Amino acid sequence: MRHLRLLRLGLCVLAMLLIATPVTQARPPFDGYLPSCSGEYFNNTTATGTPVMVRTDAAINFNWLEGTSPGPGVNVDNYSVRWTCSVNVTTAGTYTFNLLTDDGMNLLLDDNLLIWAWYDQGPTAYSTTASVSAGWHTIKVEYYNRMRGGTAQVWTNMPLTTLPPPPPPITAWQGEYFNNPSLSGAPALIRDDASINFNWTTGSPSPAIPIDNFSVRWTRTINFAAGTYRFTTTTDDGVRLWIDDTLVIDKWIPQPPTSYTVDVVIPAGAHTIKMEYFEQTGGAQAKLTYAPVSAPPPPPTGVWQGQYFSNVSLSGAPTIVRNDAAINFNWGEGVPIPGLPADNFSVRWDSTQNIAATGDYVITAISDDGVRVWIDGVLVIDGWYDHPPTTFSTTRTLTAGAHTFRVEYYDSGYGAMISFQIGGSAPPPPPSEVIVDDRGPGWQAGGTGTWRGSTLGVGGHSFWTLNNTYTAYGYNWARWYPTLPAPGYYEVFAFLPDNLGTTLNARYWIYHNSRYDLAARAQGFFPNQWISLGTYYFSAAGGEYVSLADVTYECYLCRSLVFDAIKFVPR
């Protein structure tokens, strides 16, 4: 019987070759690694916010040992990378894409997801195939490492040409002048302009350009130091301004000489500025200036300097800047400050706080909606999504003396509240783990399908059942409700007894802190072991659970699923 089950499992693997699932593969030759990719490195596991390092990597072929950082300024744990690779495929065909990752990784070809493996795991290989046309394509690789060593390798058998060298930076404004007001067709004149500072009145930019109904596109690459910059345009008539392909001023209308200003936060490095302009009739002028915006003076120690924005993205110039004695607000449905909207606003508070004595401190934020907290430049709380009033808490060891704190908050609608506290000593640690076993406290199951019992598994028992292809009447399901001692992050594990589960798509849903996350796993590859379903924040207020149904979207009654114990380990 055991040999028959192994044969069935082997046939399942062959049938699923077109689906990216963990496989065992030899390490590839160097020539197959994705080359010359632009890497953005983040000090979080979500590849969000401003990268702490941007560089071009010769190949995605990394094995970072435990305790080592991918580069200057990047964490040794809890970091992520987004690589963008431009590749020129010389011959159309069906090609193989492979990756080896520890922990999570996603692979996208021209923004189409090919492989999704975005969860905590040891070094695991994945493979898939795709039809690719000849020519240029964009491959994106998203990766994160939770802790300990990190592995990120991506290789393919596509025939690629060497990437051309990047174009040299444009040190002057390249102006393309058109004999029409719509920037259409081929430019009548191309020239380098030292600056965009023109007042042609009723004249023409050049004998090749008419005095009315013309347009210009200026482009330049500029190296900026990190900071906030104020861009000001003055035009008669229309103007559009882009920073790195982001449209920041859009006034494409006939108008007398008019000025527009926008403040933009720009990371250090080279950035492309593009300004488009059209003249209709009458006077003609076009000007662009930019300069760093002076930061507001730092607040006194112990005071929270709040920058209040009339948007949810903390972008542009703040509407109001003021010092707050504490962050403890419940604005409800009202306007937080005159001049701000009742909804869709955001705030950034900065403060230097003196910690009296070295010790463990409980950092707590309660918000509706999003909140993020940094201590000394390290992100310690990340609840940057819409939610009702929710408590986020973490414990950090702080030395005696001054520490910098930043709290960011946004409200997207309905009630608005935010509270932040630096508490005293940490509470006693929770138990090492919480296990909910089948048939035990916290276990629920239902369905009219056939449940089969086994003496294998945690506690000497488990259930298994054959799969349904789609949701249908009477499908089997189970839920595991833990009794957790305290709110916080928990890593969730499922135990898989030997030879009972052959599905390649067991779809575990984790309901935690009022949100759902899906963790799909191939039970057939992990016999007689605990497998991680990822790490999640639980409120520990009751009603949170892990669920699994026998719906796998595979061939009907050709796979089996096992239902045993679920384990919750505090992190």
Side-chain angles (χ1 to χ4, degrees):
M1 183 65 179
R2 177 183 175 88
H3 294 295
L4 184 57
R5 287 175 178 163
L6 291 176
L7 179 59
R8 289 179 61 199
L9 178 58
L11 292 175
C12 294
V13 173
L14 291 174
M16 298 294 288
L17 280 177
L18 295 180
I19 300 176
T21 53
V23 295
T24 301
Q25 296 197 6
R27 298 172 68 86
F30 176 80
D31 290 345
Y33 294 117
L34 284 183
S36 301
C37 299
S38 174
E40 301 171 272
Y41 291 74
F42 302 83
N43 278 339
N44 55 59
T45 58
T46 55
T48 56
T50 301
V52 296
M53 181 180 72
V54 178
R55 73 183 183 194
T56 298
D57 292 320
I60 303 181
N61 176 23
F62 296 101
N63 186 11
W64 294 294
L65 299 178
E66 183 174 350
T68 60
S69 166
V74 184
N75 295 337
V76 298
D77 293 318
N78 293 308
Y79 58 85
S80 56
V81 191
R82 180 188 297 111
W83 285 285
T84 302
C85 319
S86 294
V87 298
N88 188 16
V89 180
T90 58
T91 306
T94 299
Y95 298 106
T96 301
F97 296 82
N98 309 281
L99 60 87
L100 183 66
T101 183
D102 174 2
D103 291 288
M105 185 176 284
N106 295 332
L107 177 68
L108 300 92
L109 174 64
D110 297 327
D111 290 327
N112 294 311
L113 184 65
L114 297 185
I115 295 178
W116 177 87
W118 197 255
Y119 47 83
D120 294 3
Q121 58 196 314
T124 308
Y126 295 82
S127 180
T128 192
T129 58
S131 296
V132 185
S133 62
W136 288 95
H137 296 272
T138 299
I139 298 178
K140 289 184 181 180
V141 178
E142 299 169 336
Y143 166 77
Y144 79 86
N145 178 51
R146 179 76 64 187
M147 62 180 61
R148 304 185 180 93
T151 298
Q153 297 177 338
V154 182
W155 67 99
T156 178
N157 63 347
M158 290 192 302
L160 307 176
T161 60
T162 304
L163 293 179
I170 302 172
T171 56
W173 293 96
Q174 183 186 73
E176 301 172 90
Y177 291 75
F178 298 82
N179 283 333
N180 56 70
S182 58
L183 300 158
S184 57
L189 170 68
I190 299 177
R191 74 183 187 191
D192 286 346
D193 295 322
S195 63
I196 305 176
N197 185 18
F198 300 101
N199 189 353
W200 296 294
T201 62
T202 56
S204 163
S206 165
I209 304 298
I211 61 173
D212 292 320
N213 293 307
F214 66 88
S215 55
V216 191
R217 177 186 295 115
W218 288 281
T219 308
R220 183 179 178 183
T221 300
I222 303 174
N223 279 310
F224 288 88
T228 301
Y229 290 80
R230 178 163 296 159
F231 292 81
T232 301
T233 62
T234 302
T235 59
D236 173 0
D237 292 285
V239 64
R240 291 188 292 231
L241 182 68
W242 281 266
I243 313 293
D244 291 331
D245 294 325
T246 298
L247 185 63
V248 295
I249 293 177
D250 186 7
K251 295 297 179 179
W252 200 249
I253 54 175
Q255 58 194 324
T258 307
S259 295
Y260 300 97
T261 296
V262 63
D263 290 349
V264 182
V265 177
I266 299 183
H271 299 271
T272 300
I273 314 299
K274 180 173 67 176
M275 175 171 159
E276 294 181 344
Y277 160 78
F278 81 84
E279 155 63 6
Q280 192 173 66
T281 58
Q285 63 174 288
K287 296 181 181 180
L288 171 65
T289 61
Y290 62 92
V293 177
S294 299
T301 299
V303 174
W304 294 91
Q305 182 184 80
Q307 300 179 63
Y308 291 73
F309 299 82
S310 296
N311 55 67
V312 296
S313 57
L314 302 158
S315 58
T319 303
I320 296 168
V321 178
R322 74 176 191 184
N323 290 337
D324 294 320
I327 303 175
N328 187 21
F329 302 100
N330 189 349
W331 295 295
E333 302 291 337
V335 176
I337 300 176
L340 284 182
D343 296 318
N344 296 310
F345 66 89
S346 55
V347 192
R348 177 186 292 119
W349 287 279
D350 289 288
S351 180
T352 299
Q353 298 282 328
N354 277 318
I355 302 301
T358 299
D360 291 338
Y361 291 81
V362 180
I363 311 300
T364 303
I366 306 173
S367 69
D368 173 2
D369 292 288
V371 65
R372 292 188 291 226
V373 178
W374 285 263
I375 302 177
D376 296 327
V378 177
L379 184 66
V380 298
I381 289 176
D382 188 359
W384 202 249
Y385 56 90
D386 290 4
H387 52 72
T390 304
T391 299
F392 300 88
S393 182
T394 184
T395 301
R396 298 285 156 167
T397 301
L398 301 178
T399 58
H403 294 266
T404 59
F405 288 79
R406 169 170 286 184
V407 177
E408 293 182 344
Y409 164 78
Y410 79 83
D411 172 61
S412 66
Y414 304 106
M417 61 86 59
I418 173 70
S419 175
F420 177 77
Q421 289 185 335
I422 306 170
S425 300
S432 58
E433 60 187 32
V434 173
I435 295 178
V436 180
D437 197 6
D438 67 287
R439 304 191 305 178
W443 155 271
Q444 291 185 12
T448 60
T450 301
W451 286 96
R452 297 168 173 85
S454 170
T455 58
L456 301 177
V458 175
H461 188 273
S462 61
F463 287 103
W464 67 276
T465 180
L466 294 176
N467 73 305
N468 276 287
T469 302
Y470 303 107
T471 302
Y473 173 77
Y475 70 90
N476 288 334
W477 59 268
R479 289 183 178 179
W480 294 261
Y481 289 85
T483 300
L484 300 175
Y489 286 94
Y490 291 80
E491 186 170 6
V492 182
F493 296 85
F495 189 79
L496 303 178
D498 193 14
N499 288 328
L500 292 182
T502 64
T503 179
L504 302 180
N505 192 29
R507 299 167 59 82
Y508 294 90
W509 284 96
I510 296 88
Y511 177 64
H512 63 103
N513 200 33
S514 301
R515 62 184 293 178
Y516 292 89
D517 281 291
L518 173 65
R521 297 293 185 268
Q523 289 187 345
F525 288 102
F526 304 98
N528 201 36
Q529 60 181 283
W530 291 98
I531 62 166
S532 175
L533 305 182
T535 300
Y536 308 91
Y537 185 88
F538 288 82
S539 67
E544 297 167 307
Y545 59 82
V546 174
S547 69
L548 176 65
D550 62 12
V551 179
T552 68
Y553 304 100
E554 299 166 300
C555 49
Y556 180 61
L557 299 182
C558 67
R559 310 283 189 267
S560 60
L561 294 90
V562 63
F563 299 75
D564 197 6
I566 300 291
K567 178 169 63 175
F568 302 80
V569 180
R571 297 302 189 201

